[in-house]
Amino acid sequence: MITLQDIRKVYRNGPLEVEALASVNLTIERGEFVAIMGSSGSGKSTLMNIIGCLDVPTSGKYVLDGEEVHALDEVRLSSVRNRKIGFVFQSFNLLGRQTVLHNVELPMMYGGLNRIKRTQRALELLEKVGLGGRVKHKPTELSGGQRQRVAIARALTMDAPILLADEPTGNLDSKSSEEVMELFKNIHQEGTTIILVTHEPDIAAHAERVLWFGDGKLLRETRKGCAAI
Ligand SMILES: Nc1ncnc2c1ncn2[C@@H]1O[C@H](COP(=O)(O)OP(=O)(O)OP(=O)(O)O)[C@@H](O)[C@H]1O
Ligand SMILES: [Mg+2]
């Protein structure tokens, strides 16, 4: 489903160059649950941005579902992104003045669904993440774990086959983190491919496969039940 070949990303700020990714080769199959670990600055978010079609590599080939996305312009890239990718971020990225319900409805307003269907779908998803009783609240009236569950509901609205989460439990206590991971597990069991960045081994342990990054390179990987390869 996801194939990265010789992916390199160089950031240029004037005369300064930072090589954030150096020749990454990686395949992720449909339905996998993958965790990405590695020290700060090792290129994890850069990789997630490329996989999520938020950014393009400096060089290399990225094939997503048979489509060569590394060379697409911004318009086509955003079309792929809208159809294929749901995002969850460490800082939730919710609209603070809008209700929980409206936050979840929002992506569907760009997706062309009518108002009644949008509300129906948003309520259904909020029920699924255990927030059926909070739909009229504002995000500021919720706990961190509840906010992240709103963000997860929002990421599911377009039925994207891939869910990307960059340190989704980074701002949560351990109980809320476990609740969020339970939710990811359920979503994975329903067939969604999940790729999650984390610094916490306990969180990575939920994944079937762990990729270890260092200095912009894929250093090694481990699979559940297997020794390091
Ligand atoms: N927009 C940018 N412009 C210039 N350099 C950048 C930019 N984004 C990231 N970098 C650099 O690229 C490298 C990789 O950054 P990245 O954010 O991918 O790391 P990370 O593994 O996600 O780190 P963290 O665990 O701290 O989130 C770092 O050296 C960073 O400073
Ligand atoms: Mg990061």
Side-chain angles (χ1 to χ4, degrees):
M1 172 170 233
I2 289 170
T3 311
L4 303 174
Q5 271 173 24
D6 214 5
I7 291 288
R8 220 172 141 248
K9 179 71 183 181
V10 178
Y11 291 110
R12 286 197 180 86
N13 286 334
L16 271 183
E17 282 197 356
V18 176
E19 189 180 49
L21 293 175
S23 189
V24 173
N25 290 286
L26 175 63
T27 299
I28 295 173
E29 305 293 345
R30 184 179 293 274
E32 278 198 86
F33 189 166
V34 178
I36 297 178
M37 297 194 77
S39 55
S40 181
S42 60
K44 304 179 299 295
S45 295
T46 302
L47 181 76
M48 293 291 265
N49 289 345
I50 291 173
I51 292 177
C53 299
L54 287 167
D55 200 357
V56 288
T58 307
S59 63
K61 190 168 164 183
Y62 173 20
V63 181
L64 171 56
D65 250 351
E67 196 168 355
E68 293 198 353
V69 290
H70 55 273
L72 294 183
D73 60 33
E74 179 45 41
V75 174
R76 287 163 146 205
L77 203 61
S78 71
S79 154
V80 174
R81 186 165 66 229
N82 293 341
R83 280 182 284 124
K84 309 254 186 209
I85 317 276
F87 292 96
V88 176
F89 301 95
Q90 176 173 1
S91 51
F92 322 128
N93 294 13
L94 300 172
L95 299 178
R97 290 163 184 246
Q98 304 289 340
T99 61
V100 160
L101 181 62
H102 189 73
N103 268 279
V104 178
E105 284 177 331
L106 208 60
M108 294 185 275
M109 294 172 88
Y110 305 112
L113 223 60
N114 75 41
R115 196 172 58 83
I116 294 167
K117 290 223 170 94
R118 284 200 303 262
T119 306
Q120 245 172 22
R121 175 83 178 130
L123 289 172
E124 199 180 285
L125 287 169
L126 284 165
E127 196 66 48
K128 180 188 175 111
V129 301
L131 292 174
R134 294 282 193 279
V135 304
K136 294 288 181 196
H137 285 60
K138 302 271 169 62
T140 46
E141 297 160 351
L142 302 180
S143 71
Q146 289 171 333
R147 287 181 206 186
Q148 195 58 298
R149 286 188 276 140
V150 175
I152 293 170
R154 181 184 56 186
L156 296 176
T157 51
M158 303 308 285
D159 285 320
I162 302 169
L163 185 62
L164 300 182
D166 198 345
E167 301 193 44
T169 61
N171 284 338
L172 305 181
D173 60 36
S174 57
K175 182 166 171 286
S176 304
S177 296
E178 277 309 311
E179 284 167 9
V180 160
M181 291 314 295
E182 273 311 303
L183 210 49
F184 278 130
K185 267 190 169 165
N186 295 341
I187 295 163
H188 173 238
Q189 270 158 16
E190 289 167 6
T192 303
T193 306
I194 299 183
I195 307 172
L196 170 150
V197 171
T198 181
H199 284 286
E200 299 155 81
D202 290 1
I203 297 298
H206 289 276
E208 303 165 327
R209 182 181 174 196
V210 184
L211 308 175
W212 302 80
F213 274 78
D215 283 333
K217 297 186 192 76
L218 176 55
L219 300 179
R220 64 193 167 93
E221 66 169 274
T222 50
R223 281 181 195 266
K224 211 166 232 179
C226 299
I229 50 173

